[in-house]
Amino acid sequence: MPSVEFAEKVVASYRPSYIPNAVFIGGTSGIGRAMLEALAKQTQGRVNLWIVGRNQTVAEEIIASIPSPSPPEPEGSMATPCFTREFVACDVSLLCNIQTMTQELLRQTGGKINILVITSGKAMLSRVETADGLDLQMMLRYYSRFKMIEDLVPALENAHALGQDARVMTVLAAGIGLKVPIDDLDLKKWYNYLKVHMITGVYNDIMIKVQSERHPNLTFIHVFPGMVDTPANRVNLFTRAVAILSWYWMKQVEPIAQSFLYPLLSSEDFKRGGYWISQSAEKLTLAANITDEVAKKVWDHSVKRTTLRQETIE
C-alpha cells in the first residue's frame, strides 16, 4: 500500500504532454463528481471533460465551477487551446439509451478517450425489471457498465495508439469474492438487496479480468470505496438507516476521490492490465473462485443480456 504522501506526490506530478479526454458517467453526484472536480483542479482545467447523467442543472453548475486554464506560452505561438466541457444526458437504465449515448461520445471525443470513470448506481429493495427485462439495480451496477465499456473501448485503444494513457475505472465493490451463482446469473431465483450488491461487485471483478485480457495494452480498474457519505445513502428509508448505523465507519467523499486519482493517474504502478483496489488504493487479489471457466460463463451471459434486439434498434 502506498503512503498517503507518495500517492499525493504521484497525483500532483500528473502533467501529460497532451490534453486528456476524460468521461465521467454518473459524474453529477457522489464519488464521480468528487473525482471529476479533483481531476479538474489537479490539471488546472487543462482537460476535456464529458459528464454523463440525468441532471443537466447540476452538470452545468459543475462545468461553471471548473477553473479556466491560463493559456500556455509556446515559442512562436499565440494560439490558445480550446477545452471541451460537455454534458451528455442519458438514463443508463435502458440499453438503447446507452447505445445512443456511447455513439454520441465517440463522435464528440473524436474517437479518443484517455480516462473513463463509471460510478452510476441506485439502491433498490426489491426486483424491478426494465423494458429490456433486466433488474434495474443489476442494470445500473453491472450490465450498463459492461455495455458502456464495450462500446467505448475502441476510443481507449485509439488513445493508446497515440502513445497516451488509456484507463477505465469502475467504482463499486472490488474483491468481495462471493461464489458466482452459475445457474442463476440474473438472480431471478433468489433476489435480495445484499446479494445484488455483492454479486454485482463480483461481476465487475470478472469484467475487469476479461477486458484486461482482451485489451492488454489498456488499464482496467475496479475500486471498492467502502462506506462513503454520498447522496446515494439517502435515496430511501433503508439506505438512510444503514447510513445512520454505519456513521462511525463512514468516510467523506473528497479524500476517497483523491485516493482513487492515484491509480487513475499513476504513470507506472497501474500502467497496463487489470487491477482491483481497496479504498486506500491498496491492490487486492482476485478471488480464487473466479476461474477462467466461471469468467467465460459470466462474460457470455453479459454479452447476451446487453445485446440490443433488432426491433429495439429499429
Side-chain angles (χ1 to χ4, degrees):
M1 172 182 173
S3 67
V4 174
E5 294 77 13
F6 177 78
E8 289 178 345
K9 183 178 180 180
V10 169
V11 172
S13 67
Y14 181 70
R15 293 289 188 275
S17 58
Y18 54 90
I19 298 173
N21 287 353
V23 175
F24 288 81
I25 301 175
T28 57
S29 181
I31 295 174
R33 174 175 181 170
M35 288 187 67
L36 183 155
E37 292 174 335
L39 177 65
K41 180 179 179 181
Q42 173 57 39
T43 58
Q44 297 179 330
R46 299 185 62 79
V47 57
N48 296 323
L49 291 167
W50 284 265
I51 305 174
V52 178
R54 295 184 298 172
N55 196 326
Q56 182 170 354
T57 300
V58 173
E60 290 174 349
E61 292 173 356
I62 296 171
I63 290 172
S65 71
I66 295 173
S68 298
S70 300
E73 299 179 356
E75 291 185 11
S77 174
M78 297 298 291
T80 300
C82 180
F83 297 93
T84 300
R85 284 90 166 89
E86 291 288 343
F87 170 68
V88 179
C90 184
D91 176 358
V92 298
S93 67
L94 294 175
L95 294 172
C96 59
N97 292 350
I98 293 173
Q99 182 155 302
T100 299
M101 175 267 289
T102 54
Q103 290 175 345
E104 179 63 16
L105 280 174
L106 291 173
R107 184 187 69 81
Q108 290 192 19
T109 61
K112 187 202 80 166
I113 296 175
N114 302 101
I115 296 171
L116 173 61
V117 178
I118 308 176
T119 60
S120 50
K122 186 175 183 179
M124 302 288 293
L125 298 181
S126 59
R127 186 179 183 90
V128 176
E129 285 202 355
T130 69
D132 298 304
L134 299 171
D135 171 63
L136 177 58
Q137 190 169 203
M138 294 187 71
M139 176 65 178
L140 296 177
R141 293 173 62 87
Y142 175 64
Y143 293 117
S144 63
R145 300 176 186 223
F146 181 94
K147 179 165 178 58
M148 289 186 285
I149 293 173
E150 268 291 273
D151 286 358
L152 296 175
V153 79
L156 290 138
E157 287 283 12
N158 289 342
H160 169 74
L162 294 171
Q164 301 176 4
D165 288 337
R167 303 188 180 196
V168 177
M169 176 177 284
T170 175
V171 180
L172 195 65
I176 290 179
L178 188 71
K179 182 180 179 180
V180 176
I182 295 298
D183 62 341
D184 186 27
L185 293 174
D186 290 308
L187 298 187
K188 289 186 176 181
K189 298 178 182 178
W190 182 32
Y191 183 100
N192 64 58
Y193 173 84
L194 182 59
K195 187 167 186 179
V196 170
H197 271 238
M198 295 179 71
I199 204 64
T200 50
V202 177
Y203 290 177
N204 272 260
D205 278 348
I206 292 172
M207 176 178 66
I208 294 303
K209 166 182 163 61
V210 179
Q211 286 287 11
S212 65
E213 292 168 349
R214 290 164 62 92
H215 304 280
N217 291 321
L218 309 183
T219 301
F220 296 89
I221 306 168
H222 180 200
V223 297
F224 179 43
M227 298 296 294
V228 183
D229 185 16
T230 70
N233 298 324
R234 297 179 282 278
V235 297
N236 56 49
L237 290 175
F238 179 77
T239 57
R240 290 174 186 168
V242 171
I244 291 171
L245 294 172
S246 308
W247 70 268
Y248 182 80
W249 297 276
M250 196 77 69
K251 304 293 184 182
Q252 293 301 305
V253 68
E254 289 78 12
I256 293 296
Q258 190 68 29
S259 71
F260 287 167
L261 281 187
Y262 164 61
L264 200 60
L265 305 183
S266 173
S267 61
E268 296 299 329
D269 292 342
F270 301 88
K271 195 167 187 178
R272 295 175 185 172
Y275 300 92
W276 300 267
I277 308 295
S278 71
Q279 64 180 183
S280 55
E282 181 179 4
K283 293 180 181 179
L284 303 173
T285 302
L286 188 64
N289 65 298
I290 300 179
T291 62
D292 288 344
E293 181 182 2
V294 168
K296 184 178 187 306
K297 288 183 178 180
V298 174
W299 182 269
D300 291 345
H301 162 84
S302 304
V303 170
K304 182 178 179 180
R305 289 293 185 268
T306 58
T307 299
L308 282 168
R309 301 187 301 271
Q310 187 62 36
E311 61 266 26
T312 304
I313 298 173
E314 295 174 352

